[in-house]
Amino acid sequence: AQSVTQPDIHITVSEGASLELRCNYSYGATPYLFWYVQSPGQGLQLLLKYFSGDTLVQGIKGFEAEFKRSQSSFNLRKPSVHWSDAAEYFCAVGAGAAGNKLTFGGGTRVLVKP
Amino acid sequence: GAGVSQTPSNKVTEKGKYVELRCDPISGHTALYWYRQSLGQGPEFLIYFQGTGAADDSGLPNDRFFAVRPEGSVSTLKIQRTERGDSAVYLCASRSGQGREQFFGPGTRLTVL
C-alpha cells in the first residue's frame, strides 16, 4: 500500500524568503505525485503534478517541485514567499490507472511572518 | 465552467441520526471520489465511482457508510447512526475519463453532537 510522509507539521517563514516543503512517499510502481494547497475553510487546490518525464515540474503561484526517485521524494519549493501563501499544503500519491485513489500526507501548515 | 459543488456546506446532527451529503461533479466527469478529512489530518480516501458503479469502496470505515451515484453524475454519501467520531470534513472530487487530476469541491463539514 502507498503512503506519504510530510515530516514538517508547521513551518514559519518570513515574507520574501524561500520555502521548501518535504514529501516522502512509498509506492511500488511509478507514482503519480501531487501537491495541493488548502486555505482556511477552502477546498483543495492543485498546485502541481508529476506523472512522467522532466523531474522538475512547475506549478501555479510560482511553485515548483522536484521528483527524486532515488530518495522517494517530491519536495515543493518557492523562491520568494508572499503573505498569501500562508495555508496548509498536502502532498499526495495516486495509485492505479490514471491516478485513482489519492493517498495524502498529513500536511504542512505554513505561516508567513511579515 | 462550474467546479465541483457540495451541499450542505455545514451539517450539524445528533448522535444516532442519519445524514446525507451531496456532491455535484464537474459536468462530464465520469470518475467521482469521496474523501474524509479529520481535524489536523490529510484527507483519507473513502470510495471511488467510475460511472454509476463503485469501483473501489475499500476506504469506507464500516457498514454505516454508504454512497450511491445512480445516474453517473450526482453522488450522495449516506451515514447511518452517526457517531461523534464521524465529525469531519467530507470532500468530493471528480476527474474526467482521460484525465489524471482530481478536482475537489469545498467540502461538507459534518458535526455530530
Side-chain angles (χ1 to χ4, degrees):
Chain A
Q2 64 269 21
S3 66
V4 178
T5 301
Q6 294 181 246
D8 304 304
I9 297 175
H10 291 100
I11 285 182
T12 299
V13 60
S14 297
E15 192 168 13
S18 64
L19 174 69
E20 181 168 13
L21 304 183
R22 295 184 290 165
C23 172
N24 292 97
Y25 69 90
S26 173
Y27 184 60
T30 301
Y32 299 134
L33 294 161
F34 307 84
W35 275 100
Y36 285 88
V37 62
Q38 187 176 44
S39 298
Q42 303 296 311
L44 293 164
Q45 181 182 20
L46 181 67
L47 284 176
L48 48 74
K49 56 192 180 287
Y50 172 79
F51 299 140
S52 64
D54 193 347
T55 56
L56 184 63
V57 294
Q58 302 297 321
I60 62 171
K61 304 185 178 186
F63 285 92
E64 66 178 25
E66 186 170 12
F67 170 59
K68 293 185 177 180
R69 184 185 299 275
S70 61
Q71 299 178 19
S72 297
S73 70
F74 189 56
N75 294 349
L76 182 72
R77 298 191 293 256
K78 184 168 185 177
S80 178
V81 169
H82 188 262
W83 64 266
S84 61
D85 294 321
E88 186 138 26
Y89 292 79
F90 293 96
C91 181
V93 61
N100 298 340
K101 186 174 164 180
L102 296 177
T103 298
F104 287 84
T108 298
R109 181 166 298 278
V110 173
L111 304 175
V112 180
K113 293 190 302 183
Chain B
V4 177
S5 62
Q6 295 185 244
T7 54
S9 55
N10 282 282
K11 176 70 177 179
V12 180
T13 191
E14 295 179 342
K15 181 175 178 296
K17 298 291 188 181
Y18 168 83
V19 296
E20 290 189 353
L21 312 180
R22 176 187 168 107
C23 172
D24 278 273
I26 293 172
S27 178
H29 279 193
T30 56
L32 184 147
Y33 305 78
W34 284 99
Y35 294 85
R36 179 170 70 173
Q37 186 176 19
S38 300
L39 190 64
Q41 299 182 20
E44 294 178 307
F45 169 80
L46 294 177
I47 187 170
Y48 154 57
F49 288 89
Q50 183 60 49
T52 61
D56 184 347
D57 65 357
S58 61
L60 295 178
N62 51 60
D63 61 6
R64 296 186 297 106
F65 288 74
F66 190 71
V68 295
R69 195 186 185 200
E71 297 178 357
S73 177
V74 171
S75 177
T76 304
L77 178 66
K78 308 181 181 195
I79 310 174
Q80 298 177 323
R81 305 182 304 279
T82 52
E83 300 178 355
R84 291 193 180 89
D86 298 336
S87 296
V89 175
Y90 289 81
L91 296 167
C92 176
S94 69
R95 174 179 59 80
S96 67
Q98 298 304 316
R100 298 174 183 173
E101 302 172 32
Q102 296 180 26
F103 296 86
F104 282 81
T108 294
R109 181 175 297 279
L110 175 65
T111 303
V112 182
L113 302 177

